[in-house]
Amino acid sequence: MRPRDMAKLGQLFLQGGRWSERQILSEVWIRTATRAHVARTTNRDHYGYSWWVKGEDFPGMFEAVGRGGQRINVWPAKNIVLVFTGGEFEPGDLAKFILKALKSDGPLPANTEAGRELREQIANAARPPSSRPVSPAPAIASHISGRVFKLSANTLGLGTIALRFNASTEAQAELTAEKFHLLFPLGLDGVERFSPNAILNLPQAAKGGWQNGDTFVLDLNLVGGINHYRFRLKFTEDAKSLKASLNERTGLNDERFEGVASF
């Protein structure tokens, strides 16, 4: 779903299940689903029917919560629907800015200067980051380039990994498993390279770099798929094996596994 589609679902619930002239969902069901039925959860929130119900902090607010920073917030008291999509941030941290922005129950007068500043910030956010000089690769890079490493058991089900370097600002990574094969570019200059993800049919972005003389760090961000993986690959001096550590930035468990070069 795109953010606008998420907002439509929130608006449907805000309007008591009614859309234009059609009553799509029962208003009684809407009230029931967004009322607290479970009071004891892991935080101050309660739980309805697939909706989290805010407690005393935001009376009447309810929200749909997705992993990695996706939210549909509905606040009937303020006649507001808020949608967040993204990753690597805590949605609750945005609340103080949103609450500060709620100045009146009526429309605010136009603010030309603030509008201009907002457009500038949006334009700046759309610009790609500046590339940085690529440090010379360590000697081991030429030894592992193109070499396929068979991996031990891991939760992603990865079977092999390979890296290819050609003394440029871009390298190539290859990940295989029983059910998929990913071959993609990665920037070595601090700028992600975008490519299609064969599994999700969504864009992915990847970059990497040498942390030291034997350790390469690969960042693979699935973008629309939320997951953002970081592989830290430490190669042995003879380039015949590696030790891998993997973490996922939206909260999956870290893990470690090994790899052995196939010749």
Side-chain angles (χ1 to χ4, degrees):
M1 290 191 295
R2 298 180 181 273
R4 186 175 295 273
D5 301 319
M6 297 167 65
K8 287 179 180 179
L9 287 175
Q11 188 70 21
L12 177 66
F13 273 71
L14 178 67
Q15 296 169 174
R18 192 171 186 82
W19 196 267
S20 295
E21 302 302 318
R22 296 179 59 195
Q23 188 70 37
I24 297 176
L25 291 176
S26 161
E27 186 173 1
V28 174
W29 166 253
I30 297 288
R31 290 199 301 268
T32 303
T34 58
R35 187 175 70 244
H37 296 282
V38 177
R40 298 178 64 86
T41 63
T42 55
N43 52 34
R44 293 167 59 90
D45 295 345
H46 309 304
Y47 198 67
Y49 295 159
S50 297
W51 291 89
W52 290 92
V53 181
K54 309 303 286 186
E56 300 175 359
D57 296 335
F58 305 98
M61 179 187 284
F62 53 93
E63 62 179 358
V65 178
R67 188 172 65 81
Q70 303 177 85
R71 298 284 192 276
I72 304 174
N73 289 79
V74 183
W75 198 358
K78 298 294 183 180
N79 198 34
I80 283 178
V81 175
L82 302 172
V83 170
F84 308 145
T85 61
E88 301 176 38
F89 72 96
E90 170 50 52
D93 292 341
L94 300 178
K96 59 184 178 182
F97 299 105
I98 294 170
L99 293 175
K100 186 178 179 181
L102 299 180
K103 300 291 187 181
S104 169
D105 289 333
L108 297 177
N111 188 330
T112 305
E113 179 60 24
R116 182 192 61 78
E117 183 177 351
L118 176 60
R119 288 191 294 273
E120 287 181 357
Q121 294 292 344
I122 292 173
N124 289 336
R127 295 190 183 99
S130 300
S131 60
R132 60 172 182 257
V134 180
S135 301
I140 199 170
S142 61
H143 298 304
I144 67 164
S145 183
R147 187 167 291 184
V148 177
F149 290 84
K150 293 183 178 180
L151 303 175
S152 59
N154 56 85
T155 56
L156 290 183
L158 295 175
T160 66
I161 187 169
L163 300 172
R164 295 178 178 85
F165 302 96
N166 59 6
S168 72
T169 59
E170 192 171 288
Q172 190 179 61
E174 185 173 17
L175 301 173
T176 66
E178 184 179 346
K179 296 182 179 179
F180 65 83
H181 173 243
L182 297 180
L183 184 65
F184 55 92
L186 58 150
L188 302 178
D189 54 1
V191 179
E192 289 89 350
R193 301 299 195 267
F194 281 83
S195 60
N197 181 280
I199 306 170
L200 302 174
N201 196 29
L202 291 169
Q204 64 184 14
K207 64 179 180 179
W210 288 98
Q211 189 176 59
N212 52 46
D214 61 8
T215 303
F216 187 83
V217 178
L218 188 160
D219 275 301
L220 177 59
N221 187 345
L222 298 191
V223 189
I226 286 296
N227 298 96
H228 189 158
Y229 300 102
R230 169 167 285 187
F231 298 83
R232 184 172 280 102
L233 308 172
K234 182 178 178 63
F235 298 92
T236 56
E237 187 175 352
D238 60 8
K240 292 182 178 180
S241 63
L242 65 82
K243 291 185 181 295
S245 61
L246 169 66
N247 65 65
E248 198 285 317
R249 294 187 182 181
T250 65
L252 300 183
N253 293 332
D254 296 352
E255 66 172 311
R256 288 174 170 78
F257 46 94
E258 299 179 351
V260 177
S262 58
F263 296 93

